[in-house]
Amino acid sequence: MDVMKAEKVSFGYGSHKILQNLNFEMNNNQVIGLFGDSGSGKSTLCKILTGFITDYEGEVTVNGQKHNGGYNPIQLIYQHPEKVMNPRWKMKDVLEESWMPDEKILNEFGIKKEWFKRYPSELSGGELQRFSILRALNPKTKFIIADEISTMLDAVTQVQIWESLLTVARENNVGVLLVSHDKRLINRISDEMVYLSDITD
Amino acid sequence: MTKTEEKHKKFLNLNLRTKTLLIIGIAFLILFSVFVSNYLIDHTAVLTSNFYNINQPPSFEHWFGTDWMGRDMFMRTLLGLGISIGVGAFASIISTIIAILLGVFSSVNTIVDEAVTAVIDLFGSIPHILLIILVSLAFGGGYYGVVMAVGLTHWTPLARVLRAEIKKINTSEYIKLSTEFGKSKMWIAKKHIFPLIISQIIVGVILMFPHAIMHEASISFLGFGLPAHEPAIGIILSESMKYLSMGYWWLAFYPGLALLFLVLLFDLIGENVHKLLDPQSAQE
Amino acid sequence: MSKLLEVEKLSISFSQYFKGLEQRELTVLSDLTMDVDDHEILAVLGSSGSGKSLLAHAILGILPTNAKVSGSIRYKGKEMDDELKEQLRGNVISFIPQSVNNLNPLMKVKDQAIGYTNNEEEKQKLMKKQREIFNQYKLAENVDDMYPFQLSGGMARKVLISTALLNDPEIIIADEPTPGLDEQAVEETINNLIELKEKGIGMILITHDIHTAIETSDRIAILYLGYVIEVTDTKNFSGEGEKLLHPYTRSLYRALPETEFELTEGHQPSYLHIPKGCPYHENCPYQVRECHYELPELREVNGTVIRCFNPLVDGE
């Protein structure tokens, strides 16, 4: 079993503290929903867990080990998939930057081969988000942090991408931390809801 | 949308793309033929004095007239333009290399970045012509001196652009994600950054030409540039000063106009290549 | 009787240059027909990035110049040309923009609310009124002299709403008023909007958040790939969604986390690849032959306006 742990994590700009003494732990068989109001530091936490922000206090570990270069076993999926894709790359290159999934997983996500030849600007938000989820599901990934990944999508697409993501994550024992301002969604999907205010000072 | 409208659109659409390519093609062809003609013209024959034909106004025989030694001004202008292109090319290569090096350097860390910015500002703050003259003298003048002087002073705008561009790409979220996927710095530079800045570099180089050419002509005109025996436009213009008061207007008029035309051609190519490489800027 | 604001067959498209100056046509709104009356909120619901905001820009007459527009927009039955739009905007028709980013960052809140006026007397009058409205929304006096960046999310929303009210508008267009706010602020904003409606204002609420739409509006116009596919009474978003007639609308409702979280196959393509025929036919389990090659016209079925050949009239 893999365990992701955040211990005594604090972060802020100067005197302005965004996160204060955060402690959190989950394992790779869990789907946990993290709830927080907007502006409460949810996105900052996501970036700290996944190594996008490095100058924080405290420690983030997977099985007791800090991430130190190479492939990060904790991967972040963003609210805006178009921001994490090089606009001049075709989708095949975008996907292959992480890995090339087999036919079965591509079908699970409803990804069509013809999309591979397109640029990010030629796909809809839902289609792009499928790609960015798939990239994060690289076999080396142990935990996925999903930061409001369906907020910008319509309800139908929201169901689709969560169904696919959770199916593949469960099959491969990937832990999912779903971060959202939507309690209804968290209640529907996750095993457990955690309030950000409960795990910080 | 009706059928006819659609057709109309299609036609316009083709037109703009072809127009851009056509402008680039024609401009390039003119420049290329000017440059090549330099190697085809027999220099000694053209530049030998012919005192039967001195100071003739423009005619069908001598399009740009002749000078006080009976030399054909059209031929002299053509040779002058050839030299200009040559100087421009060498100088642009030197400047581009410097700009790329500094641009890449600045992305190492903040201290290096500060240093690079300081150097760029320093060079930008000295009057251009003065700096060119100084560097040219320092390298001993002549063709070599001019090329070095122009080359060593024209990298600032491109370096600034590249620095900003690399910075922008480096802070983008897809680069950060790439690191999370375990990609190395070299890999990111090669696959992400370089392809994104190559178009800036190409456009930057082309747009550097006109500046380099004008500055070469200016310092040659002032007497700090190419030696007097070279048929450079700057030399032609400065020599013609003595004869202007006698009414030999064609000595300065046509070479000057030709130089202007050459510079405009480069500008035209640069702008259109920019449109092709960065279509967002072509929005009507 | 003509309605307060009517939009008929409005289409907006752009031509864009792509790689190497290839041109491509992007149609963001197609054949949009809808209306709103006083004492009413019409929600326009569409996924984000769909250019819903362009509807607002079209009504206000502030579309970018490279947009191609066709169709008609009428105010009280009168065709709105550019001149009329300019006359009406900011007076009769007010706009509540998406975020404080639409405010000038270098101007005090108070000055932006009042706007530019030469007349000292009028200025005094407006200032008094601005204070009254701000009071109504519990914005303290010190807010007057703040700059936009000093406002919190909820406060900014109130400032934007109060600013829109200063000229006693008849119509308000609100563009995504709720995202990025905490629960309490969302609720307050929704209440504020409903209050405005009760005072007689006709409102177009542009949003991608179906919850906001359901809680606020009287009718909802659902957009799919820039097409209105259904304009229905908000009350129909209830139970199992059996009163929603368009297959997409129904699956949208049934996909909500608090209803069924039901999975529907298929994906919404990008605006560059809008299918021929009915824009939804590729994903539609109820498709008939016509759907593949013919665009259904908007028509009325059981009091709902719908664009579908095979509406779900009897239950499933």
Side-chain angles (χ1 to χ4, degrees):
Chain A
M1 195 169 74
D2 300 310
V3 178
M4 175 174 79
K5 219 176 198 173
E7 284 173 294
K8 293 182 186 151
V9 169
S10 298
F11 180 76
Y13 300 103
S15 60
H16 177 58
K17 283 275 174 265
I18 296 169
L19 288 174
Q20 188 78 269
N21 195 20
L22 171 133
N23 289 289
F24 176 73
E25 187 181 327
M26 71 181 284
N27 69 49
N28 64 336
N29 297 316
Q30 285 180 304
V31 176
I32 291 186
L34 179 73
F35 175 84
D37 278 328
S38 56
S40 61
K42 279 180 301 178
S43 292
T44 311
L45 171 63
C46 293
K47 286 182 176 167
I48 288 174
L49 291 176
T50 49
F52 279 61
I53 292 175
T54 47
D55 51 345
Y56 58 90
E57 289 162 38
E59 241 183 7
V60 176
T61 55
V62 173
N63 300 334
Q65 290 229 295
K66 280 183 87 167
H67 172 63
N68 218 338
Y71 189 91
N72 194 339
I74 312 174
Q75 286 288 328
L76 176 64
I77 307 172
Y78 261 85
Q79 182 175 359
H80 302 284
E82 68 280 359
K83 283 192 188 162
V84 282
M85 294 175 184
N86 187 326
R88 301 277 181 106
W89 280 16
K90 294 195 170 163
M91 293 316 295
K92 182 163 189 278
D93 301 321
V94 169
L95 187 56
E96 271 181 340
E97 188 177 15
S98 175
W99 68 307
M100 186 41 91
D102 58 25
E103 208 72 18
K104 188 178 147 250
I105 297 184
L106 290 178
N107 286 336
E108 172 64 53
F109 276 85
I111 285 179
K112 297 186 183 166
K113 276 272 160 61
E114 64 193 73
W115 297 350
F116 282 180
K117 284 177 281 181
R118 296 190 191 156
Y119 293 96
S121 62
E122 295 174 283
L123 292 182
S124 70
E127 291 166 350
L128 285 177
Q129 195 59 292
R130 283 163 221 253
F131 272 97
S132 83
I133 293 170
L134 208 46
R135 286 203 296 181
L137 282 169
N138 185 311
K140 286 182 269 182
T141 304
K142 300 204 167 98
F143 292 93
I144 279 185
I145 316 293
D147 184 9
E148 303 271 13
I149 62 170
S150 54
T151 308
M152 305 303 280
L153 305 173
D154 67 307
V156 174
T157 316
Q158 170 164 285
V159 179
Q160 292 168 349
I161 64 165
W162 275 112
E163 286 276 350
S164 314
L165 170 54
L166 293 176
T167 309
V168 179
R170 289 221 173 84
E171 258 170 42
N172 298 293
N173 297 318
V174 173
V176 177
L177 179 67
L178 128 79
V179 180
S180 178
H181 72 286
D182 187 352
K183 279 185 189 161
R184 292 163 284 219
L185 180 67
I186 296 180
N187 279 328
R188 178 59 81 164
I189 296 175
S190 59
D191 311 329
E192 193 185 326
M193 171 145 66
V194 173
Y195 287 82
L196 184 58
S197 50
D198 289 347
I199 53 172
T200 52
D201 282 353
Chain B
M1 195 185 287
T2 61
K3 260 267 155 63
T4 45
E5 266 177 307
E6 219 163 308
K7 243 187 200 157
H8 186 59
K9 281 221 58 61
K10 195 92 193 174
F11 177 70
L12 276 180
N13 159 14
L14 261 178
N15 224 359
L16 183 85
R17 190 181 153 80
T18 355
K19 210 172 82 189
T20 312
L21 286 173
L22 210 67
I23 292 172
I24 296 172
I26 291 174
F28 182 77
L29 205 70
I30 297 175
L31 293 174
F32 186 71
S33 43
V34 167
F35 190 67
V36 167
S37 67
N38 254 268
Y39 293 93
L40 302 178
I41 295 169
D42 179 356
H43 284 229
T44 38
V46 171
L47 298 180
T48 313
S49 29
N50 176 356
F51 291 103
Y52 293 107
N53 271 334
I54 59 168
N55 294 334
Q56 287 193 356
S59 64
F60 281 112
E61 202 180 336
H62 302 286
W63 289 1
F64 288 7
T66 62
D67 64 4
W68 60 97
M69 294 211 282
R71 293 174 296 188
D72 182 76
M73 283 308 288
F74 179 70
M75 286 300 174
R76 287 191 76 197
T77 305
L78 211 54
L79 290 181
L81 294 180
I83 290 180
S84 293
I85 296 175
V87 172
F90 276 122
S92 297
I93 291 170
I94 296 172
S95 276
T96 309
I97 292 172
I98 299 175
I100 293 175
L101 285 180
L102 285 178
V104 171
F105 239 38
S106 69
S107 69
V108 173
N109 63 33
T110 37
I111 300 166
V112 180
D113 183 44
E114 292 275 330
V116 167
T117 319
V119 172
I120 293 175
D121 287 342
L122 182 69
F123 270 80
S125 63
I126 304 172
H128 225 130
I129 287 283
L130 184 70
L131 191 65
I132 294 173
I133 292 172
L134 289 176
V135 179
S136 170
L137 289 176
F139 276 97
Y143 194 84
Y144 176 67
V146 172
V147 168
M148 289 313 277
V150 178
L152 288 177
T153 49
H154 280 75
W155 48 269
T156 42
L158 185 59
R160 219 186 278 272
V161 168
L162 289 183
R163 175 185 163 271
E165 192 69 15
I166 292 175
K167 199 168 211 135
K168 197 181 100 198
I169 299 170
N170 253 331
T171 48
S172 73
E173 273 150 356
Y174 55 85
I175 296 291
K176 284 195 191 132
L177 190 64
S178 209
T179 348
E180 295 302 303
F181 287 147
K183 303 296 182 199
S184 69
K185 275 203 163 176
M186 271 314 285
W187 193 92
I188 290 173
K190 206 172 97 195
K191 298 276 185 174
H192 278 293
I193 300 175
F194 187 68
L196 285 169
I197 59 169
I198 184 73
S199 61
Q200 303 271 8
I201 294 177
I202 293 174
V203 174
V205 171
I206 298 173
L207 289 178
M208 213 184 279
F209 260 83
H211 278 262
I213 288 171
M214 282 305 243
H215 276 128
E216 176 269 316
S218 333
I219 61 164
S220 293
F221 178 81
L222 293 174
F224 297 100
L226 297 176
H229 64 265
E230 296 273 6
I233 300 286
I235 305 282
I236 294 175
L237 290 178
S238 97
E239 281 176 351
S240 69
M241 293 301 282
K242 286 178 254 171
Y243 298 89
L244 278 185
S245 55
M246 296 186 227
Y248 305 150
W249 54 273
W250 57 88
L251 292 181
F253 182 73
Y254 286 112
L257 201 65
L259 183 70
L260 188 70
F261 188 63
L262 184 77
V263 164
L264 284 179
L265 278 181
F266 273 109
D267 252 341
L268 208 61
I269 296 182
E271 262 166 44
N272 283 287
V273 169
H274 182 56
K275 256 194 215 169
L276 267 188
L277 294 178
D278 186 14
Q280 264 80 24
S281 68
Q283 224 69 255
E284 286 152 314
Chain C
M1 250 310 268
S2 38
K3 300 263 188 145
L4 192 55
L5 188 77
E6 292 165 289
V7 176
E8 198 184 335
K9 292 186 179 304
L10 178 74
S11 297
I12 302 174
S13 66
F14 293 89
S15 45
Q16 283 185 327
Y17 290 112
F18 189 48
K19 257 198 146 177
L21 285 189
E22 260 174 70
Q23 210 168 24
R24 54 187 193 183
E25 191 80 13
L26 199 66
T27 308
V28 281
L29 285 180
S30 310
D31 196 22
L32 180 117
T33 300
M34 45 160 249
D35 53 65
V36 67
D37 223 336
D38 52 295
H39 295 89
E40 185 186 38
I41 298 181
L42 172 80
V44 177
L45 181 71
S47 51
S48 44
S50 63
K52 298 180 298 286
S53 304
L54 292 170
L55 169 64
H57 297 171
I59 295 171
L60 295 163
I62 51 172
L63 280 173
T65 48
N66 61 337
K68 291 189 206 71
V69 189
S70 66
S72 113
I73 304 174
R74 290 187 296 274
Y75 165 71
K76 289 185 178 164
K78 209 156 82 189
E79 181 67 39
M80 285 174 74
D81 50 14
D82 290 344
E83 206 178 317
L84 184 59
K85 280 179 190 166
E86 202 184 321
Q87 240 175 58
L88 296 181
R89 76 167 170 250
N91 297 314
V92 177
I93 304 181
S94 255
F95 183 50
I96 305 179
Q98 245 181 66
S99 75
V100 265
N101 294 340
N102 296 63
L103 293 177
N104 182 344
L106 300 176
M107 237 169 128
K108 285 180 184 167
V109 163
K110 159 181 79 179
D111 296 329
Q112 315 216 27
I114 293 169
Y116 178 74
T117 168
N118 249 334
N119 188 332
E120 197 52 40
E121 201 179 318
E122 200 187 318
K123 197 172 172 183
Q124 292 301 331
K125 227 166 69 191
L126 282 172
M127 267 167 82
K128 216 174 124 216
K129 194 155 162 215
Q130 172 254 335
R131 199 52 253 163
E132 274 168 27
I133 296 174
F134 272 39
N135 279 337
Q136 254 173 45
Y137 283 92
K138 301 194 185 66
L139 290 164
E141 298 227 1
N142 64 347
V143 177
D144 287 4
D145 288 326
M146 284 187 177
Y147 290 93
F149 75 92
Q150 294 169 301
L151 303 170
S152 72
M155 236 152 70
R157 187 62 51 196
K158 286 185 195 165
V159 166
L160 291 172
I161 294 178
S162 345
T163 305
L165 289 178
L166 204 67
N167 288 311
D168 297 318
E170 294 174 34
I171 302 169
I172 286 184
I173 303 169
D175 190 4
E176 301 279 14
T178 50
L181 297 180
D182 54 54
E183 270 174 293
Q184 198 197 337
V186 167
E187 204 154 303
E188 245 174 80
T189 307
I190 287 176
N191 289 337
N192 289 337
L193 296 181
I194 293 176
E195 251 170 54
L196 292 178
K197 173 189 82 169
E198 281 162 359
K199 280 186 197 152
I201 286 174
M203 190 180 310
I204 297 179
L205 175 74
I206 297 172
T207 182
H208 78 270
D209 182 9
I210 192 166
H211 300 115
T212 306
I214 292 175
E215 283 164 50
T216 322
S217 67
D218 301 290
R219 286 185 299 145
I220 300 184
I222 295 104
L223 293 184
Y224 184 82
L225 290 179
Y227 287 91
V228 178
I229 51 150
E230 183 165 0
V231 184
T232 185
D233 203 305
T234 306
K235 291 200 261 328
N236 293 338
F237 280 86
S238 60
E240 308 231 293
E242 61 278 347
K243 285 191 189 135
L244 298 168
L245 302 187
H246 197 285
Y248 174 70
T249 317
R250 192 175 292 185
S251 55
L252 194 64
Y253 177 68
R254 294 175 63 92
L256 292 176
E258 67 270 29
T259 59
E260 309 291 318
F261 208 58
E262 186 179 87
L263 180 71
T264 313
E265 298 285 332
H267 62 92
Q268 189 166 340
S270 98
Y271 282 72
L272 291 162
H273 302 97
I274 299 177
K276 279 213 166 60
C278 170
Y280 187 60
H281 83 259
E282 287 179 350
N283 300 334
C284 184
Y286 306 100
Q287 53 183 284
V288 291
R289 226 163 54 88
E290 293 95 302
C291 304
H292 291 255
Y293 51 85
E294 202 181 321
L295 176 70
E297 292 289 324
L298 283 171
R299 60 186 171 125
E300 206 173 309
V301 177
N302 295 355
T304 291
V305 177
I306 184 170
R307 187 193 290 281
C308 183
F309 287 121
N310 188 18
L312 306 170
V313 183
D314 358 88
E316 287 295 296

